[in-house]
Amino acid sequence: MERGKDDKMRDMLFKRNEAWANKMRGSDPDFFKRLHKQQNPKYLWIGCSDSRVSANQIVDLDPGEIFVHRNIANVVVHTDLNCLSVIQYAVEVLKIKHIIVCGHYGCGGVKAAMENHEHGLIDNWLRHIQDVYRAHKKEIDLLENKNDQYQLLCEKNVIEQVINVCHTTIVQKSWRNNVDLSIHGWIYSIKNGILKDLDIYVSAPEQLEAVYEAHGINYFS
Ligand code: CO
């Protein structure tokens, strides 16, 4: 069936795909043969769906090297079967030892959560970020500039999502079984392409108290 300009779009993307596959084969003839056999990623990346924050490109890794879950504003919800399934597969099947929650400054999801306008269905998802805002409101409100407040909430959101990863049954069980597994919180700047470590790192449940203390989190566990 003739699809007019939609055919053009498809042809353009297929052409790009072919050129990319040829380029990959050109630099490494066995690349796809190896990938076809198995994937062996060492990292699970939980990031934002924003088109500017592609995990593989940010850390310059090839396909097969990083396992990725992305959603709006890199939120880890305790009952989100999609995210939980990714974490379980990453940890229990792929034996990944590093989970990285990576947010980004200028996150549209975080901004929308701060503004309180109506966006429809997505508002239910953004409630999770509003919970983060409420938990850190005192500290955020100390900043006079609205934009600074917004960027700080982007950071706080990463920190809270790291904690949420730590409290999943999957991570808790792994730690109980002495599995080597660490959770990291990073943030990316679209302005200059540079990652920043938010100095939140958890590799054992005993470390959580100190993490709450360091990052001003009230947690009743
Ligand atoms: Co975002």
Side-chain angles (χ1 to χ4, degrees):
M1 197 203 294
E2 193 58 38
R3 292 176 295 185
K5 63 183 185 339
D6 286 346
D7 276 336
K8 268 195 195 146
M9 178 279 296
R10 186 209 50 204
D11 291 350
M12 183 268 289
L13 291 180
F14 273 54
K15 221 181 241 167
R16 292 184 70 94
N17 164 250
E18 200 185 332
W20 171 77
N22 287 338
K23 190 178 78 185
M24 295 305 282
R25 267 195 302 266
S27 59
D28 179 355
D30 291 330
F31 181 75
F32 290 109
K33 272 185 219 152
R34 255 196 338 269
L35 270 193
H36 177 67
K37 273 192 210 138
Q38 71 169 130
Q39 59 167 338
N40 189 22
K42 294 190 168 49
Y43 323 95
L44 164 59
W45 176 280
I46 300 176
C48 182
S49 296
D50 190 306
S51 62
R52 300 164 295 178
V53 296
S54 158
N56 284 73
Q57 278 170 309
I58 288 175
V59 284
D60 197 19
L61 289 176
D62 279 335
E65 296 189 287
I66 189 159
F67 200 60
V68 176
H69 176 78
R70 289 167 70 184
N71 61 40
I72 289 177
N74 42 270
V75 178
V76 177
V77 179
H78 301 301
T79 52
D80 177 4
L81 281 181
N82 183 354
C83 183
L84 293 175
S85 301
V86 170
I87 296 174
Q88 181 181 16
Y89 191 79
V91 172
E92 295 183 3
V93 180
L94 297 172
K95 310 289 181 199
I96 281 174
K97 293 180 169 29
H98 298 280
I99 302 177
I100 299 155
V101 177
C102 187
H104 67 102
Y105 293 116
C107 182
V110 172
K111 188 160 197 259
M114 270 187 115
E115 286 174 347
N116 239 340
H117 296 153
E118 253 187 65
H119 301 93
L121 174 78
I122 194 180
D123 291 334
N124 300 289
W125 185 254
L126 298 178
R127 292 277 354 149
H128 296 293
I129 303 160
Q130 286 168 337
D131 290 343
V132 174
Y133 188 22
R134 196 177 57 224
H136 295 275
K137 199 169 183 312
K138 258 191 199 158
E139 188 184 340
I140 290 170
D141 285 352
L142 286 177
L143 298 173
E144 279 172 26
N145 183 301
K146 262 270 169 240
N147 188 52
D148 293 344
Q149 293 183 356
Y150 165 34
Q151 307 314 330
L152 182 59
L153 183 56
C154 291
E155 292 185 357
K156 295 293 183 190
N157 183 45
V158 171
I159 287 161
E160 291 285 343
Q161 306 316 326
V162 166
I163 303 292
N164 287 347
V165 172
C166 293
H167 285 283
T168 57
T169 51
I170 304 133
V171 171
Q172 290 283 317
K173 184 177 133 201
S174 297
W175 283 338
R176 262 200 315 277
N177 294 335
N178 294 314
V179 171
D180 185 12
L181 177 65
S182 49
I183 326 298
H184 310 252
W186 302 349
I187 195 158
Y188 172 75
S189 169
I190 296 171
K191 267 190 193 160
N192 59 13
I194 298 297
L195 280 171
K196 176 181 164 190
D197 190 337
L198 288 175
D199 207 20
I200 181 162
Y201 166 84
V202 194
S203 59
E206 315 76 87
Q207 296 165 1
L208 279 168
E209 280 299 328
V211 168
Y212 300 152
E213 187 87 11
H215 293 279
I217 293 164
N218 288 313
Y219 204 98
F220 305 97
S221 50

